[in-house]
Amino acid sequence: MTDTLKYIRKNWIAVLLVLAVSLAANAAQPMRMDDATFLATFTSHGNDLWSWAQEYRATWSGRVIPHGIFLILLAASPELVNILNAVMITLSLIWSAEWAIGDRKTPAVTDSLILVLMAFGIYVLTPTDILDVTLFWKTASVLYIWGFAAMLLVLKPFMASRKEPGMIPRMGIFRSLALILPALYCAEFEPSGSFYFAFGGIFLLRGRLKRRDSGFYPWHLIACWLVTSAAFLFSLSAPGNIVRFREEALFWFPNYGLFGFWDKVFLGASYMLGACLNEIYLTMLLLTLVIFLLMIVRKRGIILTVTAFLPFLYYGLYPLSKGSPAYAFVYNDVYGLYSSANWGATFLGLFVLALIALLILVGISEKPDIVNALFYTGAVAEQVVMGFTPTVAVSISRSSFFSRELLMIPLFSLLLTLVLDILKLRKVS
C-alpha cells in the first residue's frame, strides 16, 4: 500500500479528478433490479448475516462474502455504497495504472495521463449496456468493480516481478495478514478468483524456481494463495450454483444440460471470439496496432514485423467485412447445432488470439514479458469460462467488462513502451 500512497501523492490532481467524476457518476444511481430484492431478503432474516448466508449459498450462489459485505453496507445506507463504489473505481484505476507503469521511472504528468485515460476508457469507451450493469448497478458493481480492485490489491506483492521476474519480495506479518480479507473477497467472484488462482500460482512457482538455492520461501504469499484458492473452490461448490444453473442457464439454453466438455469449450470459444469483435473490439484493435508499431520501432526483423501485422489486419478489416466467412466462427446454439462451414473461421480467430499472446510474451522484448502476457491471456480466457458458468446466457456483456479492464493493463503498458522508445529515437537523432 505504501507504493500506492506514493502514487497518490505524486498524481494527486489526477486522482482527485478521477475520484470526483466517479463520485458524481455514482451519486445519482438509485437502487434498482436486484438491489431491493437483496435488501428485502436480508431484512426478512432479521438482518442476521449468518442466517442469510446459509440460505443464499444453498439457493443461489457461493458469492457469500462480497454480497454479505454489500448487504451490511446497503442496510446502513445506499449512499454509502455509492461513495465506496466511487472509491473502488478510483483504486482499481490506480492499481491498473501501477501495473501498466511497472518499475519505470516516469514523470508525474505521464502517470497522471495514464490514469485519466484509463478513466476515460471506462466512462466513455465502454459500451453503455455493459456500463449500466456493472458500474451503476450496486449488486453487480460490488462484484465486478470491487472484485477487480481486490484482485489487483492481492496481486501487488507480485509487482516486483516486472523488474526481476520471479523475484518475490519479503513482507512483514501484518502486511501479509492485511491481504487475507481482499484475497477472500477476490476468491468469491469467479472471474477474479480464477485469474488470481492462475496468476499467483504461476508466479509462486516461478519464484520458487528462481530462488531454489537461496533458501527463501515466500510463505506469506503461499499461504495467501492457498487460502484464496481454497475459498475459490469452496465458492464454486456452493449448492446454490446448481439451483441458479437450473433457473437461468436451462431457461435460455434448454439443451445445455446435454452439452459435453468439448461442447462447452466451443461455446466458450464462440463467446470469446464474439467479444473480441464486439464488446472489447476497440481495445483489441488498439493492442494489435501498438504491438505492430513496437516491432517496427524496435526493428525486430521482417518475420516478427509481418507476423505482428497479421492480428492487426484481422481486426482492422473487420468493420469493412463483417459478413465475411473469415469472421463467421462456429456458434453452438441453444439446440446444440454446429455450422461445419465455419470451423475454419473459428480456428483462424483462435490462432490470431494465440499469436498475440506469443508476440507479447517473446516478440517485443529480449526477455519474456510474462506479466503483460498473463494479463492478456487472462482477459481473453475469461470469456471461455462463460461456456461453463451457470449464468451462461445472462452475464455475457457483463463478463466483457472484466476482460476489458484486464486488457487495459497490457495495452497501456505496451503503449507507454512505444512512446518511450519513440522519444529515445528522437533524442538519438
Side-chain angles (χ1 to χ4, degrees):
M1 185 63 77
T2 304
D3 293 335
T4 299
L5 293 177
K6 289 181 180 178
Y7 180 95
I8 292 173
R9 286 196 295 267
K10 181 181 178 182
N11 307 281
W12 65 272
I13 296 178
V15 171
L16 285 179
L17 176 62
V18 172
L19 179 59
V21 171
S22 299
L23 285 169
N26 280 275
Q29 300 304 320
M31 290 177 57
R32 58 193 178 91
M33 293 191 283
D34 288 355
D35 295 340
T37 303
F38 264 68
L39 186 57
T41 305
F42 186 52
T43 304
S44 70
H45 285 81
N47 290 2
D48 183 342
L49 188 62
W50 177 250
S51 176
W52 167 85
Q54 287 180 303
E55 180 178 334
Y56 180 75
R57 189 174 187 276
T59 62
W60 196 247
S61 173
R63 302 165 178 174
V64 174
I65 292 178
H67 276 149
I69 294 175
F70 163 64
L71 283 176
I72 293 173
L73 296 171
L74 189 64
S77 170
E79 289 73 23
L80 176 61
V81 176
N82 287 338
I83 293 172
L84 290 176
N85 197 36
V87 172
M88 288 297 179
I89 293 170
T90 305
L91 286 174
S92 70
L93 289 169
I94 289 173
W95 291 330
S96 295
E98 285 185 335
W99 270 106
I101 295 166
D103 65 316
R104 288 174 283 204
K105 304 300 180 182
T106 51
V109 64
T110 301
D111 297 355
S112 297
L113 184 60
I114 289 176
L115 179 63
V116 171
L117 287 176
M118 282 187 166
F120 180 83
I122 280 188
Y123 289 111
V124 179
L125 300 182
T126 305
T128 305
D129 61 326
I130 298 177
L131 202 66
D132 189 50
V133 292
T134 50
L135 229 65
F136 301 135
W137 177 21
K138 295 177 180 60
T139 301
S141 66
V142 297
L143 298 174
Y144 287 88
I145 302 297
W146 300 28
F148 186 73
M151 181 193 74
L152 292 179
L153 177 58
V154 294
L155 287 175
K156 277 180 68 65
F158 297 105
M159 198 176 290
S161 61
R162 184 183 291 281
K163 186 174 183 179
E164 182 58 43
M167 300 302 285
I168 306 298
R170 299 175 186 269
M171 291 173 61
I173 183 65
F174 293 109
R175 190 179 176 188
S176 302
L177 290 174
L179 292 176
I180 295 298
L181 181 58
L184 291 175
Y185 197 106
C186 155
E188 296 221 336
F189 181 47
E190 295 90 332
S192 55
S194 58
F195 186 86
Y196 177 78
F197 176 77
F199 191 107
I202 290 172
F203 269 84
L204 285 173
L205 178 61
R206 184 173 174 80
R208 174 70 186 97
L209 295 175
K210 281 277 186 179
R211 281 184 154 162
R212 58 184 178 272
D213 299 323
S214 68
F216 169 65
Y217 295 88
W219 292 115
H220 55 289
L221 293 182
I222 293 174
C224 188
W225 183 81
L226 288 173
V227 169
T228 305
S229 301
F232 172 60
L233 296 175
F234 183 72
S235 176
L236 292 181
S237 68
N241 290 328
I242 301 298
V243 177
R244 192 176 187 189
F245 165 76
R246 292 169 180 163
E247 290 286 332
E248 293 187 340
L250 294 184
F251 176 80
W252 294 97
F253 282 72
N255 291 334
Y256 184 79
L258 301 177
F259 284 8
F261 175 78
W262 289 110
D263 295 316
K264 295 176 182 178
V265 167
F266 281 107
L267 177 62
S270 70
Y271 285 139
M272 177 175 66
L273 295 172
C276 290
L277 295 175
N278 292 281
E279 291 90 355
I280 57 175
Y281 170 73
L282 182 60
T283 312
M284 290 295 296
L285 178 63
L286 291 174
L287 181 63
T288 56
L289 174 60
V290 170
I291 293 172
F292 172 58
L293 293 176
L294 274 169
M295 298 300 174
I296 297 175
V297 171
R298 293 199 160 189
K299 299 179 180 179
R300 296 292 287 165
I302 187 65
I303 294 178
L304 276 176
T305 303
V306 171
T307 302
F309 180 69
L310 294 178
F312 173 62
L313 183 67
Y314 177 82
Y315 287 107
L317 290 177
Y318 176 67
L320 305 175
S321 52
K322 290 184 178 180
S324 168
Y327 302 100
F329 44 82
V330 166
Y331 179 68
N332 183 350
D333 62 20
V334 295
Y335 301 105
L337 300 177
Y338 293 96
S339 175
S340 59
N342 297 332
W343 284 107
T346 296
F347 288 112
L348 173 62
L350 295 176
F351 171 75
V352 168
L353 292 179
L355 192 60
I356 295 171
L358 188 63
L359 289 168
I360 294 174
L361 181 63
V362 297
I364 297 171
S365 304
E366 297 297 331
K367 292 183 178 181
D369 189 351
I370 299 175
V371 172
N372 281 325
L374 280 175
F375 274 117
Y376 163 78
T377 304
V380 295
E382 289 288 355
Q383 297 297 311
V384 179
V385 178
M386 292 300 296
F388 296 85
T389 179
T391 54
V392 66
V394 297
S395 297
I396 299 172
S397 62
R398 275 178 277 166
S399 69
S400 298
F401 177 85
F402 202 90
S403 294
R404 187 186 173 286
E405 292 311 299
L406 282 174
L407 275 180
M408 297 297 279
I409 294 173
L411 171 60
F412 276 94
S413 177
L414 296 178
L415 180 60
L416 179 59
T417 300
L418 176 64
V419 172
L420 293 176
D421 282 1
I422 292 174
L423 291 176
K424 286 179 184 178
L425 289 175
R426 288 186 62 184
K427 286 182 179 180
V428 171
S429 61

